[in-house]
């Protein structure tokens, strides 16, 4: 009976991994790449504001950061993304977090807890519609969209130093 807590913990870890795999796996989407047109979408932020990618085109450079509360790498990047957002926020730049978490009360509570630490808007995408339209298969996943709606950078967490690459692109695009 002493092993019971370990078995329950193991089951919980396995369940979390299964949920995370389900969140980031798409069956029909193609991962978006640099040079592609960014799929347009409308969504509501956690604060109740409407976000329309189409309305931002021609005005701002947009970084879409796909994440989940189950993703440790995603959570560990919050501070670095805050710094990036603070650095470029005065230069026609907007960062939007897109959370692909189930719409349960518990998950919404977790998303809000992490979103409270973010210096940028967060959209909840429980049906993974935006995730699917961008072909997100691995998180964290970030897509930088220029003012014309073209994807400049599409980067998965597996790439070395992804935030540096994104920052350099934002710097170049917001000076234009």
């Amino acid at each position: 009976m002493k092993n019971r807590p370990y078995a329950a913990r193991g089951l919980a870890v396995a369940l979390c991994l299964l949920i995370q795999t389900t969140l980031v796996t798409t069956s029909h989407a193609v991962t978006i790449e640099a040079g592609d047109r960014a799929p347009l979408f409308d969504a509501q932020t956690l604060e109740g504001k409407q976000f329309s990618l189409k309305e931002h085109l021609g005005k701002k450079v947009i970084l879409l950061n796909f994440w989940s509360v189950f993703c440790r790498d995603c959570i560990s990047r919050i501070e670095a993304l805050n710094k990036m957002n603070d650095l470029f926020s005065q230069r026609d730049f907007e960062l939007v977090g897109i959370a692909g978490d189930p719409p349960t009360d518990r998950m919404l509570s977790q998303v809000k807890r992490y979103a409270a630490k973010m210096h940028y808007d967060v959209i909840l995408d429980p049906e993974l519609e935006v995730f699917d339209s961008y072909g997100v298969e691995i998180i964290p996943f970030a897509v930088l969209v220029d003012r014309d709606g073209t994807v400049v950078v599409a980067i998965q967490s597996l790439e070395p130093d992804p935030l540096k690459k994104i920052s350099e692109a934002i710097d170049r695009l917001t000076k234009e």
Side-chain angles (χ1 to χ4, degrees):
M1 289 296 175
K2 290 182 181 181
N3 289 336
R4 210 161 197 189
Y6 295 108
R9 189 175 303 151
L11 182 59
V13 169
L15 181 59
C16 285
L17 289 173
L18 176 64
I19 291 170
Q20 183 174 2
T21 302
T22 302
L23 286 174
V24 299
T25 303
T26 57
S27 59
H28 60 281
V30 174
T31 301
I32 199 151
E33 298 176 345
D36 291 344
R37 294 293 299 163
L40 301 178
F41 66 92
D42 296 317
Q44 190 172 9
T45 68
L46 288 176
E47 292 79 31
K49 298 186 291 185
Q50 277 301 118
F51 178 87
S52 171
L53 184 59
K54 184 177 181 178
E55 288 181 14
H56 286 79
L57 297 183
K59 302 172 190 170
K60 293 187 177 190
V61 172
I62 305 289
L63 178 62
L64 303 173
N65 180 54
F66 294 87
W67 68 285
S68 168
V69 297
F70 295 109
C71 171
R72 287 182 185 253
D73 286 343
C74 300
I75 302 307
S76 70
R77 291 193 179 161
I78 291 173
E79 189 58 38
L81 288 166
N82 282 341
K83 288 178 184 177
M84 181 186 299
N85 188 58
D86 295 346
L87 178 65
F88 296 113
S89 65
Q90 303 301 314
R91 293 168 71 182
D92 297 330
F93 168 76
E94 186 164 352
L95 171 57
V96 178
I98 303 173
D101 293 291
T104 65
D105 289 341
R106 184 175 183 278
M107 287 298 100
L108 185 57
S109 172
Q110 291 282 25
V111 170
K112 286 181 178 181
R113 185 181 81 160
Y114 287 115
K117 299 175 185 179
M118 298 174 181
H119 300 179
Y120 46 91
D121 285 329
V122 174
I123 293 167
L124 189 60
D125 186 26
E127 303 300 321
L128 301 177
E129 293 169 355
V130 182
F131 269 62
D132 283 346
S133 69
Y134 280 81
V136 177
E137 295 176 350
I138 296 174
I139 54 174
F141 186 77
V143 177
L144 183 64
V145 181
D146 70 11
R147 289 180 185 93
D148 297 325
T150 301
V151 174
V152 177
V153 177
I155 204 162
Q156 294 180 348
S157 64
L158 303 177
E159 297 204 19
D161 207 4
L163 296 181
K164 181 179 181 197
K165 184 176 182 179
I166 292 169
S167 288
E168 290 169 353
I170 294 168
D171 187 45
R172 185 182 77 253
L173 290 169
T174 57
K175 285 182 180 176
E176 296 176 354

